[in-house]
Every structure is written in C-alpha cells, then in structure tokens.
Amino acid sequence: MKTTTPSHTTRLGLDWSRAQAFLARERTAYERRNPRSAELAAQARQHLLFGVPLHWMTDWGTPFALHVDHAQGAQVTDVDGHTLTDFCLGDTGAMFGHAPAPVAAALQAQATRGYTTMLATADAATVGAALAERFGLPMWQFAMSATDANRYIVRWIRAATGRKKLLVFNGCYHGTIEDVYVDLVEGLPTQRDSLLGQVHNLLEHTVVVEFNDLDALEAALAAGDVACVLAEPVMTNIGMVLPQPGYWEAAQALVRRHGALLVADETHTISTGPGGYTQAHGLKPDALVLGKPVGGGVPCAVYGMSAELAERAVKAKLEAPPGHSGIGTTLTGSMLAMAAMRAALTEVMTPAAYAHMLPLAERLADGLRAVIARHRLPWCVTQVGARVEFQFTPTPPRNGSEAGAILDGELEHLIHLGLLNRGVMITPFHNMMLVCPQTTAEYVDRLLGALDEVLTEIAARA
C-alpha cells in the first residue's frame, strides 16, 4: 500500500487534494447513513477481536463495519434498511448469487434429516459424478474450504511422489495454507512478514517464481525436487494477472518434463465457465481445487485427481503406518455440505447461468473502459469470464511484482467507500467485481453511474 501523497499533487490521474476532501465527506456521509451499524459495531467491540467475526471484515475502509440484515440474489440489505447492489458477492463465496433457491431448498430439506454423521449419503455419488463430468478428473475428495483443499492435495502429492517442494507464483494466494506465503523481494525468495505466528522456515520447501516467466519456471523445476506447481490459471488475488499467449501450454510441458504435477486452483477462475478456466482453455492439470462457490456459499470445497495421481495417492495411504493422515476433518463431506453441493452443481452452476453472466460481464468491462476514458485516467480493465477488475495502470500487469506495485489501498478504499454510499458494493480487496445469475443490465449501469460520480469528484481537471 502506498503512503499518503502530499495534498497538492496529482496521483494516477486524480487530484489528490480533491480526493482527500471527498474522502472526508464520504466518511461523514457513511456515519450518518448507518447509525444502526454503528451501534452494533460498538456492541461487537466488547467481545469480538477487532469488533468483527473475522478481522478481514475491517478491510473495507469504512469508519466502522457495515452490518447486514439479509442478502438475496445480487442484493444485500443492511441493518439500516439500505438495499445495496452487490458485485462483491462474498468475495466469490456467493458468486452464483446469495441464497440461490435450489441450494436453499436442499438445505431446508436436509435440515430435518441431519447435518453430519461422518457417513456417506446418496448425494455424495451424485456430486462425485457431476465433478468428474464437469472437470474431466475422475477421482474427488472434499474439504471445508479451499484452504484445506489446497493443503490436502499438496500433502497427497508429496506422499505420492516422495518429493517435498512446492512451487508457487510470486504474489499468489491459495487461502491460508502456510506453505504459499513466500514472495520474491528484489528477486530473492522471502517469507512473508505478515504471516502471524509462523515458526517454521517456509523457504526450505517452497519455491517461488514470477508468473509468465518460463525461463524461471524451468530453472526452478530443473533440480527435480518439486512435487507440484500450485497455481491459479489466472492470478486474481493481487489484482488480475492474465497468462501470456501460449504460456500455459509451454508451462504444462515443463512441469511434465521435470516430473512435477500441476494443481489448478479454480476457486476464483470458475468465473470463466462451467468447467472453469481449465476446460475453457484446454489445460490438463493433475489435480484441481474449487472452494467457496461450489456449495452456493455453504462452507465446503472439493479437490480432484487424475486416475494416475489417485492410484499413487491410494498406494501411499495403504503403505503408510496406521494413524491420522493429517488430511480431512470431522465435518468434511457432511450431509449438509453434500446436499448444498449437489444442488449447486446440478441446478445453479449451469451453462444457462453462464450464458447470462458472461455477456453482462462484457457489458460491465466495456462500460468501465468508457468511464475511465471519459475521465482520461491511465487505468486498464481486465477480465476472466464473469470476473472483472479495473487496475491503476495503463496496461495489464504481467506478473505478481508488477501487480503488487500498482496496488494502492488508500485509493481503493476511497473509491469503494464512495460506491458504498451510492448503493453499490465491490470487493474490499483491489477493485474486483463479479456478475452473478441475478445481476441485471440495470445493476451494471448502476455501478457504472456510481463510479462515474465518484471519479467526477476526484479526477484531475484539465
């Protein structure tokens, strides 16, 4: 995050003096607009760390946490009675809309039949078959979150291959699996200082290279000790970084040549289409992870394996001594989660849903470019399916270092607060927006209009 710029300067095409005055007005407006949220936030601070259930909820840049009363489709209603058009969608957890009817019905039906037994149900076979058909990998297991799914698949692959090292891309995020918190700082692998309570040296078993750099990837794989490459097909958590043409075709060949395996984390890139980025672009990963949206927002995740990897994983388990494998939790694959996933996969995450979402996302991306051009700002717009983002740079970043360098948390919070006060939500982290099946053209135009109002207030004048 950049430090505050002196008030007389222009920053990223914005008049920073006007921007600071705008921010002060918007904070005051937020406080006046949300008295009930303020009251609840004060009560929560008495017993909740940072005053919220999860400290990330303080990252919105608001004077106090907004409190939600209910959410439905593409709208959120707060406790002060404001209905907000939602393009954040739980930061992908509700990517297919809040409380989708088929999932709600499945949960309601399951609620009187038990939540968890640590036993299988008929839904399990249906979900496994749906996942295999959708993603082209035959064998699947479950987790409570994408974090756990990433952790588990890495453990399975290390056990199956006998190799210890994990390769990730600079600036990546794969949940809170500790192994991935390694960055390149001035070209050197460095354990991330922000990782609280970490006592083990991650550099012993984690290798990090820049995305889109085939030479660096090959050099890192050449030692023959990397078990797997864990990657989003498109980087999305440091701002969007798209693969260069031909990158994944060449990268997959390098991974195979050096005996490593490829794990595709599709938790965000499922926005591309029903089979994620991998199916849309012909990737052939050895394993695939999908979290947040797969149960319609109910906590659950899945990870799949190729037949060869599954055979090696089973062999490793059968040959291991008795005892806990370190994989799975008691609630993994619960009756409630399986019912939610069955409904989401068969009735919500459908080709028809994407047929609605993708054209509206194009409309949003084109509209953002028009608003940015109208205000003569040196920004760009990136997109992967139903996921759209505007970034504070004229051309899209090529790797994590470039993406990290253009992040500006202060400016993001200013814009996000201005949008929130105008009845529109986007993610609190960088400038990401999602289009869901319940999003309408009217909602897209509402976002574009609100952003135009905000930029009119803060853009530098010729």
Side-chain angles (χ1 to χ4, degrees), residues 52-70:
V52 285
L54 170 65
H55 70 86
W56 297 3
M57 295 176 184
T58 64
D59 289 345
W60 288 83
T62 55
F64 46 81
L66 187 71
H67 283 63
V68 173
D69 181 77
H70 62 275

Side-chain angles (χ1 to χ4, degrees), residues 66-88:
L66 187 71
H67 283 63
V68 173
D69 181 77
H70 62 275
Q72 182 70 51
Q75 294 185 315
V76 167
T77 301
D78 65 33
V79 293
D80 286 285
H82 308 116
T83 297
L84 308 169
T85 303
D86 188 8
F87 288 88
C88 172

